Amino acid sequence: MEPMAGGWMSAAHSMGTTILAVEYDEGVILGADSRTTTGVYVANRASDKITQLTDNVYICRSGSAADTQVVSDYVRYFLNQHTIQLGKEATVKTAANLVKELAYQNKSFLQAGMIVAGWDKYDGGSVYGIPLGGTLLRLPFSSGGSGSSYLYGFLDQAWRPNMSKDEAERFVVKSIALAIARDGASGGVVRTVTVNAHGVERNFFAGDKLPLFHEEISPGRNPLLA
């Protein structure tokens, strides 16, 4: 047992993850699972992967927990200075470009895939994907993390423009639940953040309340112990 124990105990904290952000008719909704792993060991089953950058901009983080946390901290500091100097809130585009610059300039050292999304008076709700390597893409929806590879077909089929808030939230929660069902590195609960002209709303969906899919066992009494 010694070699196996040493392996996962020395592994970096990784958010083998499912993250997703989508534009809807009044703003954006960001969503993420909550499982953080150290090798094959679940280090945290209830982590929060949606981090606030400003009052109106949030970031979804996947990859190395340490890398994405330090990028978020730097960008939050830069945006605070930007707001003080200009006397107004930074735009979503400004926040996304700062994340992109840090990710691109340090692409050889970082393991970080991120999504920046929020609302501002110039562009309304907007979503920017910044995958590994530091590319910046403005998209109507963006997904990331190990669970996202299970979702591409579903996202293409189920997404549609100008969804209502309730439709967009159901879309985000169902997408992440699908990824949790198939991806061993995604799990726990689903957290969502809604950002629009009226402010920010956080929601929480417990793991036993998520929809179940093909071949999943319903939570409850173990039939083997009956």
Side-chain angles (χ1 to χ4, degrees):
M1 292 296 292
E2 282 292 331
M4 179 177 286
W8 65 257
M9 289 179 68
S10 61
H13 287 314
S14 174
M15 295 193 301
T17 281
T18 304
I19 56 175
L20 176 65
V22 60
E23 296 177 4
Y24 73 99
D25 59 359
E26 293 184 348
V28 297
I29 297 181
L30 305 88
D33 75 308
S34 66
R35 178 173 292 178
T36 296
T37 55
T38 301
V40 298
Y41 175 74
V42 178
N44 187 345
R45 64 179 182 174
S47 59
D48 188 355
K49 304 174 184 179
I50 308 175
T51 301
Q52 185 180 35
L53 297 178
T54 71
D55 289 344
N56 59 309
V57 184
Y58 282 72
I59 183 170
C60 289
R61 303 178 293 111
S62 69
S64 163
D67 290 353
T68 58
Q69 283 171 357
V70 77
V71 168
S72 300
D73 289 344
Y74 270 116
V75 171
R76 190 183 305 109
Y77 170 77
F78 293 147
L79 290 173
N80 184 51
Q81 297 301 308
H82 178 85
T83 299
I84 292 170
Q85 290 173 359
L86 295 185
K88 59 182 179 181
E89 288 285 349
T91 63
V92 184
K93 184 186 293 184
T94 298
N97 272 284
L98 283 170
V99 174
K100 181 264 295 182
E101 281 298 316
L102 284 172
Y104 182 75
Q105 296 299 334
N106 299 280
K107 61 181 178 290
S108 299
F109 310 104
L110 297 178
Q111 184 184 352
M114 294 160 287
I115 303 170
V116 175
W119 183 94
D120 60 61
K121 63 183 179 181
Y122 303 102
D123 296 320
S126 52
V127 172
Y128 293 87
I130 302 120
L132 292 172
T135 301
L136 179 65
L137 299 167
R138 167 79 190 269
L139 300 163
F141 65 89
S142 180
S143 63
S146 57
S148 65
S149 59
Y150 297 91
L151 296 179
Y152 294 125
F154 172 74
L155 295 175
D156 287 340
Q157 184 273 329
W159 177 83
R160 59 186 180 81
N162 299 316
M163 286 187 285
S164 69
K165 176 185 170 183
D166 289 343
E167 289 172 333
E169 187 168 68
R170 285 196 298 270
F171 170 75
V172 168
V173 172
K174 184 176 182 179
S175 298
I176 296 171
L178 278 164
I180 287 173
R182 294 293 183 185
D183 177 35
S186 299
V189 305
V190 174
R191 303 181 193 275
T192 65
V193 174
T194 302
V195 188
N196 54 38
H198 307 294
V200 177
E201 178 185 340
R202 274 189 174 268
N203 277 323
F204 170 93
F205 300 86
D208 60 353
K209 304 300 182 184
L210 298 177
L212 295 177
F213 300 100
H214 177 59
E215 293 182 345
E216 286 193 282
I217 300 173
S218 299
R221 187 176 179 184
N222 188 337
L224 299 178
L225 302 179

